[in-house]
């Protein structure tokens, strides 16, 4: 039998610092609890213990504090964000029926030691899970210490057995106490012997075995020089330290291994806690069900046992109209509702609708030839529809040439605006978090005997009911956070524009792309042949390990500590050997070939067009992204990369109009910071980078060299992204001291920017979020994180997010304006791509001049800033030519 005991304080500390700060909408911090549970489940899966428990420290002095007043005196207090989570963590463990052990006046280490001893005495194996090496002294033939390390959100562990400990330390685990007696322990403020460090302490133990052995052999002959004096003067401190470092095995804890046998959790209590903590994913992972409404419509089949529907709460009877008259009657009722919630199958063959009074399920099977009429009526604009994921729904309607009017609420977009860092906004998670409604799971339904068709007929009405329930809490959240204008006038209507762009797609010259692909393959083979020749043999160029062996062992090139073959490392080695240049070229060619040439060939549709998916609920800043394929990441900085844009072409007789903003983020910064010097630079019409170079480097405008302009440009854009002196030095090839001087000089000249950045960080720390000019929020709890590196990264996000987010908001406004203006003008032109600050419109050649003027006008009038918002439109017969 095996028992696993977790060092609760150690594990939750590592979880707290290993997971970014998370909190519920009520302000309860949760990251430590979430991280603890992840660690618990990971080690539990690895060890499969029959018994499980957790030990915690209790507040107050212990017998060690009475022995030595300075014990742990140098430790900082527990962060408030962690202290808030401790009692809740224990509540979670109790709900999981995992016993908690603690003793007043004793440390968790002593409780763990006592538990481990009793396990051994009872013939049980014991695994101690901790991040504290002090527990390694407990290792014996029955006790294993699983040492946990959390780094970058990832948890790893090492199982210390007597053999592994001896291999690492050279002596038995019990003598870790002797080691600490000599070298001390700064984390616990155990003094040890002054001037005796880990290396010398280990040497003494390897020679004399124990602390007693060291002092039995204490003499000027055995301990040369000052060491004799250090040990002689430090005897009392050494034995005190030995006592302090010794984990007691006799804590007065009421424990027997059988008391901690793994049992089922209190699923209702655990569900309620996870719901309060907003651990929606963990509710699914633990397969929990609570006493909450289960939004589902179900009909018990003749052969279905009553038990199979016990988990479902039936909604009001759902109509299934089978004639136009029956549908029309429902339609008249729906027109009176504030919102009609709608959920649809992927193929649009089933629709569930719910206004709270007249729920219905529409199917082509039931309505027959009247089904298309019903779809047209629903999306004609006479109804105010509420959905989840309007962009996808509208795209499916457009693909079937159906109307797309009437969507007045999208739960997914609303939830994204309320918490842009959440990342995923699935309907089951939102329903559970905001309404305590648990949606049935499709797999659960089929597992209980329903066919796929019947499962869908049950699931869709449940989803429609959940969408309807979400309207009130999400609308209230938008109102409380001042996000209604942003939602109703920007993000929601943009879904229709994006859906249309996704359906339109963009044409690709498949023949030219295929020829480009073959050319790249030829060059890749040539580069690989040269690499093999320089290396003296064949190897896997794509393997970092094999490449490292070739570069650093076979060719003897200088290797860093990590023997990295990253781009940065290769860049520094490119003048050391000709193989480096060919490796870098090989990597560039293979990425172009696999990602863009071959990758795009795979996704060209029958009509010759490529269709990307624009993600509008992914980035924390509000920027749009593009996936499958990513058309926002087509390379432009290399000649070969730019060739890819030549493959994107309009229809015959059509052209591309490509318009992009000039330095939009810097203009936004000048406006939001209210910096008079920067605003003057833009308002003068001069090249802002030359003006910056003149002011920062103290030279007349006419004497600004191209190199100074490049450096000023790097500083300009670096400031927007909170660049460090180290990164700037790397970017422009100067020392860190010079880079620091550049940044300080910049902020002295543009002191409005300096003050703005400071104010943004201060406001973000105080309020927990930063906001764009339009009110879009980015929550940054990491600004209060206990780890310096995490706080500094959060500060950079705080400085950048309002600027980048406002620029993203402006391009969204521009897209809406351009689309409406094109429609109002009756033009055939269509918006096909958006790449950050760039819009691409495809239009008949005869419309090119008018479209270019229209797009430029609408982009430049999308926002009123203290500096000009300028856009430039170009026309071409390919994306490359128009760019």
């Amino acid at each position: 039998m095996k028992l696993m005991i977790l060092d609760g304080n150690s594990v939750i500390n590592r979880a707290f610092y290993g997971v970014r700060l998370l909190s519920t909408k009520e302000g309860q911090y949760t990251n430590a609890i979430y991280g603890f549970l992840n660690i618990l489940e990971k080690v539990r899966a690895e060890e499969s213990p029959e018994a499980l428990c957790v030990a915690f420290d209790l507040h107050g002095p212990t017998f060690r504090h009475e022995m030595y007043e300075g014990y742990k005196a140098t430790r900082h207090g527990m962060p408030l964000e962690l202290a808030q989570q401790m009692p809740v963590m224990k509540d979670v463990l109790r709900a999981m029926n995992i016993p908690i052990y603690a003793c007043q006046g004793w440390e968790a280490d002593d409780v763990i030691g006592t538990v481990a001893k009793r396990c051994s005495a009872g013939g049980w194996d014991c695994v101690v899970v901790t991040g504290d090496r002090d527990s390694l002294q407990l290792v014996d033939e029955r006790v294993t210490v699983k040492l946990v390390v959390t780094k970058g959100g990832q948890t790893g562990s090492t199982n210390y057995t007597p053999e592994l400990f001896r291999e690492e330390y050279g002596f038995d685990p019990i003598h870790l106490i002797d080691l600490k007696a000599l070298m001390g322990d700064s984390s616990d403020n155990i003094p040890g012997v002054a001037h005796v460090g880990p290396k010398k302490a280990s040497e003494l133990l390897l020679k004399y075995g124990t602390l007693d052995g060291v002092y039995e052999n204490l003499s000027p002959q055995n301990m040369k020089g000052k060491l004799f004096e250090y040990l002689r003067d430090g005897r009392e401190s050494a034995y005190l330290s030995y006592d302090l470092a010794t984990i007691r095995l006799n804590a007065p804890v009421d424990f027997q291994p059988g008391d901690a046998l793994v049992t089922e959790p209190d699923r209702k209590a655990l569900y309620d806690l996870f719901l309060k903590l907003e651990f929606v994913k963990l509710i699914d992972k633990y397969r929990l069900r609570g006493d909450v409404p289960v939004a589902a419509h179900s009909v018990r089949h003749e052969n279905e046992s009553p038990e199979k529907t016990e988990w479902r709460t039936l909604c009001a009877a759902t109509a299934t109209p089978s004639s136009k008259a029956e549908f029309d009657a429902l339609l008249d009722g729906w027109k009176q509702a504030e919102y009609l919630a709608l959920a649809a199958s992927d193929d649009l063959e089933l629709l569930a609708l719910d206004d709270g009074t007249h729920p219905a399920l529409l199917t082509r099977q039931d309505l027959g030839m009247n089904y298309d009429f019903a779809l047209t009526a629903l999306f004609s604009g006479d109804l105010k529809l509420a959905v989840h994921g309007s962009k996808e729904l509208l795209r499916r309607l457009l693909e079937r040439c159906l109307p797309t009017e009437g969507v007045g609420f999208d739960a997914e977009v609303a939830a994204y605006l309320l918490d842009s860092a959440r990342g995923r906004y699935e309907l089951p998670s939102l329903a559970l978090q905001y309404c305590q409604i648990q949606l049935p799971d499709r797999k659960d339904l089929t597992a209980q005997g329903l066919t796929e068709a019947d499962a869908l007929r049950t699931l869709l009405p449940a989803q429609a009911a959940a969408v309807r329930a979400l309207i009130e809490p999400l609308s209230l959240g938008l109102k409380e956070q001042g996000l209604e204008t942003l939602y109703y006038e920007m993000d929601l209507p943009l879904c229709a524009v994006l859906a249309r762009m996704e359906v339109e797609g963009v044409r690709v010259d498949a023949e030219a792309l295929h020829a480009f692909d073959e050319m790249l393959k030829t060059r890749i083979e040539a580069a690989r042949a040269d690499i093999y020749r320089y290396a003296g043999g064949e190897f896997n160029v794509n393997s970092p390990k094999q490449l490292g062996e070739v570069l650093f062992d076979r060719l003897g090139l200088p290797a860093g500590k990590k023997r990295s073959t990253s781009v940065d490392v290769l860049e520094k080695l490119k003048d050391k050997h000709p193989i480096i240049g060919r490796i870098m070229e090989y990597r560039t060619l293979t990425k172009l070939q696999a990602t863009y040439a071959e990758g795009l060939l795979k996704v060209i549709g029958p009509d010759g067009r490529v269709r990307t998916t624009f993600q509008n609920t992914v980035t924390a800043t509000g920027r749009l992204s593009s996936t499958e394929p990513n058309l926002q990441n087509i390379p432009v900085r290399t000649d070969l990369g730019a060739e890819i844009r030549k493959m994107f072409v309009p229809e015959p007789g059509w052209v591309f109009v490509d318009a992009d903003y000039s330095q939009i983020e810097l203009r936004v910064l000048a406006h939001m910071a209210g910096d008079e010097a920067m605003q003057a630079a833009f308002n003068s019409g001069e090249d802002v980078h030359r003006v910056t170079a003149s002011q920062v480097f103290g030279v007349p405008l006419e004497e600004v060299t191209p190199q100074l302009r490049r450096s000023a440009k790097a500083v300009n854009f670096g400031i927007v992204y909170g660049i460090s002196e180290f990164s700037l030095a790397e970017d422009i090839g100067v020392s860190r001291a010079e880079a620091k001087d550049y940044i300080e000089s910049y902020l002295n000249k543009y002191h409005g920017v300096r003050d703005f950045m400071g104010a943004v960080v201060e406001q973000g720390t105080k309020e927990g979020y930063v906001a764009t000019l339009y009110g879009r929020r980015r929550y940054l709890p990491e600004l209060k994180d206990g780890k310096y590196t995490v706080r500094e990264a959060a500060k950079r996000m705080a400085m950048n997010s309002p600027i980048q987010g406002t620029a993203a908001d402006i391009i969204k406004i521009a897209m809406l304006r351009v689309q409406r203006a094109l429609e109002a003008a009756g033009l055939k032109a269509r918006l096909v791509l958006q790449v950050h600050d760039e819009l691409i419109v495809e239009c008949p050649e005869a419309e090119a001049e008018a479209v270019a003027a229209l797009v430029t006008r609408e982009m430049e009038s999308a926002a009123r800033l203290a500096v000009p918002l300028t856009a430039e439109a170009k026309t071409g017969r390919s994306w490359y030519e128009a760019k």
Side-chain angles (χ1 to χ4, degrees):
M1 299 284 280
K2 181 195 293 185
L3 176 138
M4 185 167 75
I5 182 167
L6 276 71
D7 181 345
N9 289 78
S10 173
V11 172
I12 201 168
N13 262 283
R14 273 148 185 78
F16 177 75
Y17 289 107
V19 179
R20 69 179 181 87
L21 273 179
L22 302 171
S23 63
T24 67
K25 58 180 181 290
E26 302 299 329
Q28 166 69 51
Y29 288 103
T30 60
N31 62 312
I33 303 169
Y34 186 80
F36 186 104
L37 291 172
N38 283 336
I39 293 172
L40 169 61
E41 293 309 320
K42 186 175 189 296
V43 297
R44 191 173 181 176
E46 291 170 353
E47 298 296 334
S48 301
E50 286 81 14
L52 177 64
C53 60
V54 181
F56 279 104
D57 289 321
L58 293 176
H59 185 69
T62 68
F63 65 86
R64 290 183 178 84
H65 293 90
E66 295 174 3
M67 292 167 53
Y68 177 52
E69 187 177 352
Y71 182 65
K72 292 190 177 181
T74 56
R75 284 200 177 181
H76 297 294
M78 183 181 292
L80 292 176
E81 295 84 358
L82 174 56
Q84 185 195 68
Q85 300 180 63
M86 291 295 287
V88 185
M89 181 73 253
K90 293 176 182 179
D91 288 342
V92 170
L93 291 171
R94 293 185 189 101
M96 296 176 77
N97 283 326
I98 297 174
I100 296 171
Y101 295 101
C103 280
Q104 194 67 54
W106 299 68
E107 294 186 53
D109 284 352
D110 303 311
V111 174
I112 292 169
T114 303
V115 166
K117 182 180 180 182
R118 291 185 190 173
C119 283
S120 295
W124 285 58
D125 291 327
C126 181
V127 177
V128 177
V129 179
T130 182
D132 190 347
R133 284 182 171 266
D134 290 352
S135 294
L136 293 178
Q137 63 184 270
L138 300 173
V139 171
D140 62 23
E141 297 305 321
R142 281 206 172 271
V143 178
T144 301
V145 170
K146 194 176 191 71
L147 198 67
V148 173
V149 176
T150 302
K151 187 175 183 180
Q154 301 297 314
T155 298
S157 61
T158 302
N159 279 23
Y160 274 86
T161 61
E163 293 74 24
L164 180 59
F165 185 93
R166 281 191 288 268
E167 182 182 328
E168 185 171 321
Y169 285 87
F171 44 78
D172 288 337
I174 192 63
H175 297 308
L176 180 66
I177 307 171
D178 303 86
L179 182 68
K180 285 187 173 288
L182 290 166
M183 66 180 242
D185 184 342
S186 59
S187 66
D188 289 339
N189 202 34
I190 294 176
V193 176
H195 310 296
V196 174
K199 182 178 179 182
K200 182 55 67 177
S202 293
E203 291 173 356
L204 288 168
L205 288 179
L206 289 172
K207 187 172 183 179
Y208 299 111
T210 64
L211 181 66
D212 287 341
V214 170
Y215 278 101
E216 285 169 3
N217 291 278
L218 181 64
S219 69
Q221 293 75 28
N222 291 335
M223 287 73 170
K224 302 296 184 183
K226 293 278 188 182
L227 181 58
F228 170 75
E229 296 175 14
Y230 297 153
L231 289 169
R232 179 196 64 199
D233 297 342
R235 179 192 290 265
E236 184 177 345
S237 179
Y239 279 97
L240 171 64
S241 298
Y242 185 94
D243 216 11
L244 291 171
T246 300
I247 293 176
R248 304 303 196 266
L249 308 180
N250 59 341
V253 55
D254 183 13
F255 166 82
Q256 292 300 324
D259 299 340
L261 288 171
V262 174
T263 61
E264 278 291 302
D266 181 337
R267 306 186 75 81
K268 171 61 169 62
L270 191 58
Y271 175 90
D272 289 343
L273 278 167
F274 281 1
L275 193 61
K276 183 178 180 180
L277 295 169
E278 299 177 8
F279 288 168
V280 177
K281 290 181 181 177
L282 291 183
I283 287 175
D284 291 339
K285 182 177 181 179
Y286 284 81
R287 308 291 291 174
L288 299 175
R289 293 289 184 269
D291 294 337
V292 297
V294 178
H297 163 65
S298 66
V299 177
R300 185 177 296 145
H301 291 246
E302 291 181 7
N303 298 325
E304 186 179 355
S305 66
E307 291 78 12
K308 288 184 179 179
T309 58
E310 284 181 354
W311 62 273
R312 286 175 286 187
T313 301
L314 303 183
C315 293
T318 300
T320 52
S322 57
S323 69
K324 183 176 182 300
E326 290 178 358
F327 173 76
D328 285 343
L330 286 167
L331 189 62
D332 288 339
W334 290 335
K335 288 179 180 178
Q336 311 307 313
E338 181 181 4
Y339 279 109
L340 175 64
L342 179 148
S345 61
D346 290 342
D347 59 6
L348 291 185
E349 294 297 287
L350 288 89
L351 289 180
L353 301 116
D354 192 343
D355 65 348
T357 307
H358 310 94
L361 180 68
L362 308 185
T363 74
R364 188 177 293 280
Q365 180 180 349
D366 293 326
L367 274 172
M369 62 185 298
N370 291 313
Y371 188 71
D372 287 334
F373 165 81
L375 286 176
T376 300
L378 288 171
F379 295 100
S380 65
D382 293 335
L383 301 168
K384 195 173 180 182
L385 302 171
V387 302
H388 176 273
S390 63
K391 180 172 69 69
E392 290 73 16
L393 174 63
L394 297 176
R395 185 185 68 232
R396 295 198 296 269
L397 290 167
L398 287 167
E399 288 168 347
R400 292 160 177 78
C401 299
L402 290 166
T404 58
E405 303 300 318
V407 174
F409 192 86
D410 183 336
E412 180 185 30
V413 176
Y416 167 68
L417 270 182
L418 292 174
D419 184 5
S420 63
R422 180 187 179 118
R424 302 181 70 178
Y425 306 88
E426 298 95 337
L427 182 59
S429 297
L430 298 180
L432 199 54
Q433 176 184 343
Y434 285 95
C435 308
Q436 290 73 58
I437 288 178
Q438 191 154 15
L439 288 173
D441 183 86
R442 193 168 181 171
K443 291 181 180 178
D444 283 346
L445 293 172
T446 54
Q448 294 188 33
L450 294 181
T451 65
E452 285 287 341
D454 282 338
L456 198 57
R457 292 172 73 98
T458 298
L459 188 60
L460 287 179
Q463 291 177 344
V467 169
R468 181 171 59 82
L470 280 165
I471 296 170
E472 182 178 350
L474 292 176
S475 296
L476 181 61
L478 294 171
K479 183 176 182 180
E480 289 176 344
Q481 294 189 21
L483 296 170
E484 289 177 304
T485 300
L486 187 66
Y487 177 69
Y488 290 108
E489 296 184 13
M490 188 187 301
D491 279 25
L492 184 60
L494 186 69
C495 292
V497 176
L498 295 175
R500 190 170 297 279
M501 290 169 67
E502 290 180 2
V503 171
E504 294 290 357
V506 58
R507 187 166 171 261
V508 172
D509 185 337
E511 288 187 15
L513 190 58
H514 182 74
F516 185 65
D517 182 47
E518 292 300 315
M519 179 274 290
L520 289 175
K521 288 177 180 177
T522 300
R523 292 188 58 174
I524 288 168
E525 287 305 314
R528 185 186 285 116
D530 284 347
I531 291 168
Y532 290 162
R533 178 167 55 83
Y534 288 130
E538 295 187 4
F539 66 100
N540 183 359
V541 186
N542 298 316
S543 165
K545 181 180 179 183
Q546 292 185 35
L547 181 59
E549 290 171 353
V550 168
L551 297 182
F552 308 130
D553 298 333
R554 191 182 304 175
L555 299 179
L557 295 173
K561 292 181 180 179
K562 297 183 179 179
R563 292 170 60 88
S564 171
T565 59
S566 67
V567 174
D568 292 341
V569 172
L570 294 183
E571 188 68 35
K572 294 174 183 177
L573 295 175
K574 65 182 180 182
D575 295 329
K576 303 289 185 182
H577 196 286
I579 194 175
I580 302 297
R582 294 301 270 161
I583 291 169
M584 294 174 73
E585 183 181 2
Y586 172 85
R587 287 183 173 178
T588 299
L589 293 169
T590 52
K591 182 175 181 179
L592 280 172
Q593 191 273 329
T595 305
Y596 301 109
E598 185 178 66
L600 287 173
L601 283 169
K602 290 178 180 178
V603 295
I604 298 177
D607 58 354
R609 299 177 81 86
V610 168
R611 291 170 172 85
T612 186
T613 297
F614 290 102
Q615 302 288 355
N616 59 328
T617 59
V618 171
T619 68
T621 59
R623 294 180 80 177
L624 299 174
S625 61
S626 163
T627 58
E628 297 178 344
N630 183 356
L631 297 185
Q632 291 187 337
N633 203 31
I634 303 293
V636 292
R637 293 186 178 180
T638 64
D639 291 340
L640 270 179
E643 286 288 314
I644 297 288
R645 296 200 174 203
K646 293 181 180 179
M647 313 300 164
F648 289 85
V649 294
E651 294 290 336
W654 290 48
V655 294
F656 284 142
V657 174
D658 186 324
D660 62 357
Y661 281 117
S662 171
Q663 302 157 343
I664 184 170
E665 291 187 350
L666 283 178
R667 293 172 190 270
V668 167
L669 174 61
H671 175 85
M672 294 186 73
D675 190 290
E676 294 180 359
M678 184 175 282
Q679 290 178 6
F682 278 115
N683 289 324
S684 70
E686 290 281 356
D687 178 346
V688 71
H689 298 311
R690 292 184 69 244
V691 174
T692 298
S694 173
Q695 296 197 2
V696 171
F697 303 123
V699 297
L701 195 62
E702 61 273 11
E703 294 181 18
V704 172
T705 64
Q707 178 57 48
L708 285 178
R709 184 188 181 278
R710 281 193 295 272
S711 296
K713 183 177 180 179
V715 178
N716 264 330
F717 287 112
I719 291 295
V720 172
Y721 288 89
I723 198 168
S724 67
E725 60 196 50
F726 175 80
S727 297
L728 181 61
E730 289 280 306
D731 288 349
I732 62 178
V734 298
S735 69
R736 290 183 63 178
E738 288 176 290
K740 182 180 180 181
D741 287 342
Y742 290 169
I743 293 174
E744 289 180 353
S745 178
Y746 180 99
L747 293 176
N748 285 333
K749 293 293 183 182
Y750 297 123
H751 53 82
V753 172
R754 179 195 60 211
D755 296 343
F756 171 73
M757 294 297 190
V760 165
V761 172
E762 183 180 350
Q763 181 263 328
T765 304
K766 180 181 178 182
E767 303 291 340
Y769 67 88
V770 294
T772 70
L773 196 60
Y774 297 90
R776 186 184 305 277
R777 295 184 180 187
R778 180 176 187 176
Y779 285 89
L780 289 168
E782 299 91 341
L783 287 168
K784 294 182 179 179
D785 198 284
K787 189 178 288 186
Y788 173 80
T789 53
V790 174
R791 288 199 310 276
E792 288 302 302
K795 287 180 181 178
R796 289 192 290 274
M797 292 181 209
M799 290 185 280
N800 167 248
S801 292
I803 309 304
Q804 189 181 107
T806 298
D809 287 344
I810 291 173
I811 195 73
K812 287 179 178 180
I813 295 170
M815 293 172 73
L816 289 166
R817 292 177 65 96
V818 167
Q819 181 65 40
R820 290 164 183 164
L822 290 174
E823 292 172 0
L827 297 169
K828 294 180 180 179
R830 54 204 180 197
L831 191 56
V832 292
L833 277 179
Q834 183 265 2
V835 182
H836 306 315
D837 58 357
E838 174 185 1
L839 295 182
I840 299 97
V841 177
E842 186 179 17
C843 67
E845 194 167 356
E847 294 181 1
E849 186 176 345
V851 168
L854 179 151
V855 173
T856 302
R857 180 187 71 241
E858 298 302 329
M859 289 180 70
E860 292 186 342
S861 58
R864 294 176 64 89
L865 303 179
V867 298
L869 187 61
T870 61
E872 182 180 7
K874 295 181 180 178
T875 302
R877 298 185 184 280
S878 70
W879 188 3
Y880 176 87
E881 189 178 314
K883 182 64 177 173

